[in-house]
């Protein structure tokens, strides 16, 4: 049986100088992946592009797979930070404005080095990093659900978990495909508006305008406008 390939760093850089070395190695790996492809990203090549010795590389990483795994983690953290900042900033906004900011943040997150993103997207299953992506998805789900819970009276959906899943999946899938697979099809501003319209149209019942409150009829029937 083949021995599993180590995917974790040998040690965590704690000093500023060692952190700079690790960042240089990750930056070099990103450049090689984009310009030359995964197969050319050997440890010798990575060390040379980073301007460090191979010995220094092996102090922190056992192989190129562990470096790519660390690069995936850094890239996904940067995306998640953008989404967290967006969701914390929309807490007081109305539904349409908040969804527009969420969609815009998702577009921005996918535009964080899209060429690298496309390559990492291919390598994530190979690197066994699907659990990390699922963890990020759970965090985004929790952030969006918390917002929708606060706006419970403005949306038609009875099941918030289902509504959150549909919204997050729709926004992620559409922005992923548009930014990474079809970047020339639609400009970012237009994409944000179209996806926002889709999501808000799903969440808000027909005939209810922004700012109006709704509630579900007894027995879980269709949402009705609250009469004042």
């Amino acid at each position: 049986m083949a021995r599993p390939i180590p995917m974790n760093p040998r040690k965590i850089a704690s000093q500023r100088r060692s952190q700079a070395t690790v960042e240089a190695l990750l930056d070099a790996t990103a450049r090689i992946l984009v310009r030359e492809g995964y197969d050319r990203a050997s440890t010798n090549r990575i060390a040379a592009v980073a301007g460090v010795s191979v010995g220094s590389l092996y102090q922190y990483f056992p192989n190129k797979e562990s470096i790519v795994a660390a690069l995936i983690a850094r890239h996904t953290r940067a995306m998640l930070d953008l989404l967290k900042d967006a969701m914390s900033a929309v807490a007081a906004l109305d539904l349409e404005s908040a969804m527009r900011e969420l969609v815009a943040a998702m577009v921005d997150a996918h535009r964080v080095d899209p060429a690298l993103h496309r390559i990492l997207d291919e390598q994530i299953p190979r690197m066994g990093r699907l659990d990390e992506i699922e963890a990020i998805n759970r965090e985004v789900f929790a952030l969006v659900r918390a917002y929708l819970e606060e706006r419970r009276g403005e949306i038609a959906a009875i099941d918030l978990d289902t509504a959150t899943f549909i919204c997050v999946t729709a926004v992620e899938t559409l922005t992923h495909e548009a930014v990474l697979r079809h970047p020339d099809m639609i400009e970012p501003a237009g994409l944000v508006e179209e996806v926002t319209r889709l999501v808000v149209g799903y969440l808000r019942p027909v005939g209810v305008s922004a700012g109006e409150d709704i509630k579900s009829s007894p027995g879980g029937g269709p949402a009705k406008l609250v009469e004042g």
Side-chain angles (χ1 to χ4, degrees), residues 131-180:
D131 288 346
E132 290 183 12
I133 302 304
E134 286 302 315
I136 289 174
N137 290 340
R138 286 193 295 270
E139 287 197 57
V140 174
F141 181 96
L143 290 169
V144 174
R145 193 192 189 286
Y147 172 82
L148 294 180
E149 182 68 53
E150 290 296 318
R151 293 290 181 274
R152 193 69 178 85
E154 299 179 37
I155 64 177
I158 294 172
D159 185 341
L160 281 186
D161 286 340
T162 300
T164 303
F165 170 79
I166 289 173
C167 290
V168 171
T169 303
V171 173
E172 157 62 23
T173 302
L174 289 169
T175 55
H176 182 96
E177 287 298 311
V179 175
L180 300 182

Side-chain angles (χ1 to χ4, degrees), residues 95-147:
L95 182 66
E96 184 170 345
S97 298
M99 291 301 103
R100 182 175 288 105
E101 290 299 317
L102 170 62
V103 175
M106 193 72 81
V107 170
D108 288 342
H110 282 87
R111 295 179 71 196
V112 176
D113 201 340
L116 176 63
H117 191 129
R118 281 190 288 270
I119 293 170
L120 295 182
D121 200 40
E122 296 169 358
Q123 297 304 322
I124 283 170
R126 182 189 299 184
M127 297 293 106
R129 279 336 199 214
L130 289 173
D131 288 346
E132 290 183 12
I133 302 304
E134 286 302 315
I136 289 174
N137 290 340
R138 286 193 295 270
E139 287 197 57
V140 174
F141 181 96
L143 290 169
V144 174
R145 193 192 189 286
Y147 172 82

Side-chain angles (χ1 to χ4, degrees), residues 21 46 141 206:
T21 298
I46 292 169
F141 181 96
V206 175

